[in-house]
Amino acid sequence: MSTWHRWCDRLTGGVTSVFRSRTGRFALAGLVFAAGSATALNVNTQIYNPETRKWEDYSPNTAIRYFRTHGQTPQAFQRRIVSFRTAEKPGTIVIDGDKHFLYFVLPNFQAVRYGIGVGREGFGWAGIVNIGRKQEWPTWTPPAEMVARDPKAAQYANGMPGGPDNPLGPRALYLYEGNRDSIYRIHGTTEPWSIGLNVSSGCIRLNNDDIIDLYERVDIGAKVIVLMQGAALYKGV
Amino acid sequence: MDGVPWTRLARVATSPWPALATVAIATLGCQASQTTSQQPAVRAAVETAPADLQLMCAAEAANVYQAPSDKILPLSSRRASEVSYMVELDVAGQRAMCTIDESGTTISVVDVVVTEAS
């Protein structure tokens, strides 16, 4: 198993639901999730086909075709200001990995919403971390297992300098658990069509315009909440 | 009314119906062009609760269990009814279930005990 992740070990079988009311103030719930809720598959994106009038899987091939036709990802994944009802303080980042959105919390119950790409099956993770450091035109160092299996990565075993071909893109935000590097980043991409997909090795990718915009807004130490159903790994909790 | 000669407009000014028909046709044309230029919608294959509602559940759980908010994480969620969602939470290692409506009002927060199948 990759050293980058481990399977969630919280649920392996059936769930016995026991409802105990705290302080008597709350009603008993009548339903619980099935045993597989925490081990469910990653949530993929669907796109509506107006010709067939059906929702279809937004697969990598579909995404590439769409990007080539329109020159960008679907409108829903374009950066915009949205309402966001939260008590989290402005400057907090909230990642909804299932819907493929990253929210940067603003004052007055608003947020900047960006489209993102997230980890593929088995590489998704969730948790509460923080921005440990930021870097412009970051160096990319492929993990040892990638170096071992991919000759293209092997040539960069000691690090690929920042630049237009660097997979991290023009900016990277390094996610820390406390003071320790989580190994996960929020970064740009050389594959802008992949926004909206589950294709990465766990990092959160934005298109390059968006990561530059986010980089300018976010502070070191900012709280980052990562929500993802069926995560294979949890950080910071 | 683009393209309609001004002299023609002057002759039909006494009757409202041609003008109304012209406006209706122009409006339909605008709507048709908006429809054809609209980009297709996207959605998650599995409906989960909006992120802000999940965080509201976490905040309520922090109150209920008197736990620090940075130790409460929404793990999963799904629609419970037409107007509400259920959100499963990890509360400092223990599981809880929150039911919340679309307006952000928390309906309940209860313990969940998970056991492994024998």
Side-chain angles (χ1 to χ4, degrees):
Chain A
M1 183 178 292
S2 167
T3 56
W4 285 77
H5 68 283
R6 62 180 186 275
W7 290 105
C8 178
D9 59 359
R10 290 168 180 252
L11 287 175
T12 57
V15 173
T16 299
S17 56
V18 175
F19 305 99
R20 289 184 284 119
S21 174
R22 290 268 176 163
T23 71
R25 290 183 297 163
F26 298 98
L28 297 177
L31 194 65
V32 293
F33 287 162
S37 64
T39 56
L41 297 176
N42 280 18
V43 179
N44 293 318
T45 300
Q46 292 181 327
I47 188 167
Y48 186 74
N49 186 331
E51 295 179 1
T52 63
R53 298 185 182 182
K54 291 181 179 178
W55 288 95
E56 299 175 351
D57 286 339
Y58 189 63
S59 65
N61 285 339
T62 302
I64 290 170
R65 280 199 304 271
Y66 189 96
F67 193 87
R68 285 178 178 164
T69 300
H70 297 92
Q72 63 180 24
T73 51
Q75 192 68 26
F77 295 127
Q78 303 305 309
R79 182 175 76 227
R80 66 187 64 182
I81 305 291
V82 298
S83 66
F84 197 74
R85 305 159 291 179
T86 182
E88 297 292 336
K89 65 180 184 181
T92 300
I93 290 175
V94 179
I95 292 171
D96 184 343
D98 300 309
K99 292 188 173 71
H100 299 83
F101 292 134
L102 181 151
Y103 298 88
F104 179 82
V105 179
L106 298 172
N108 302 318
F109 303 112
Q110 292 189 312
V112 184
R113 192 184 77 183
Y114 308 85
I116 59 174
V118 301
R120 60 186 181 273
E121 183 62 34
F123 288 81
W125 64 280
I128 302 175
V129 293
N130 66 84
I131 302 294
R133 64 185 179 97
K134 310 195 299 185
Q135 186 67 49
E136 296 187 17
W137 296 109
T139 296
W140 174 63
T141 305
E145 58 186 26
M146 186 181 290
V147 170
R149 72 170 186 262
D150 185 354
K152 294 180 183 177
Q155 63 181 314
Y156 299 115
N158 295 321
M160 179 183 190
D165 296 328
N166 186 307
L168 299 182
R171 304 288 186 271
L173 307 173
Y174 296 77
L175 301 179
Y176 277 48
E177 276 184 275
N179 294 323
R180 201 173 67 173
D181 192 339
S182 73
I183 71 173
Y184 294 110
R185 288 78 172 92
I186 300 172
H187 60 76
T189 183
T190 54
E191 300 173 327
W193 51 265
S194 67
I195 302 305
L197 298 177
N198 306 341
V199 292
S200 79
S201 298
C203 290
I204 307 299
R205 56 176 67 175
L206 283 69
N207 74 43
N208 290 342
D209 286 344
D210 285 351
I211 189 63
I212 291 172
D213 183 271
L214 178 62
Y215 186 96
E216 296 302 319
R217 296 177 186 269
V218 75
D219 292 328
I220 301 295
K223 181 180 181 182
V224 180
I225 303 169
V226 183
L227 307 174
M228 185 175 291
Q229 195 148 284
L233 181 66
Y234 293 88
K235 293 282 188 181
V237 291
Chain B
M1 295 188 182
D2 288 341
V4 179
W6 288 107
T7 54
R8 182 172 176 81
L9 282 174
R11 281 200 292 272
V12 300
T14 56
S15 171
W17 297 115
L20 290 172
T22 304
V23 170
I25 291 169
T27 303
L28 286 172
C30 287
Q31 289 177 342
S33 65
Q34 286 175 357
T35 301
T36 55
S37 66
Q38 280 181 347
Q39 293 198 10
V42 293
R43 70 180 187 186
V46 175
E47 185 177 8
T48 55
D52 52 359
L53 292 187
Q54 294 188 48
L55 296 182
M56 286 183 193
C57 272
E60 182 63 22
N63 286 333
V64 169
Y65 295 105
Q66 294 295 297
S69 60
D70 59 353
K71 291 300 179 186
I72 301 178
L73 180 70
L75 298 176
S76 61
S77 62
R78 65 174 177 83
R79 184 170 281 284
S81 73
E82 286 188 2
V83 295
S84 67
Y85 294 91
M86 294 184 78
V87 180
E88 186 181 14
L89 304 163
D90 183 291
V91 181
Q94 305 298 317
R95 294 294 175 87
M97 191 72 70
C98 167
T99 303
I100 188 168
D101 71 18
E102 291 179 331
S103 71
T105 300
T106 305
I107 299 169
S108 67
V109 178
V110 298
D111 295 346
V112 174
V113 176
V114 175
T115 60
E116 293 185 358
S118 58

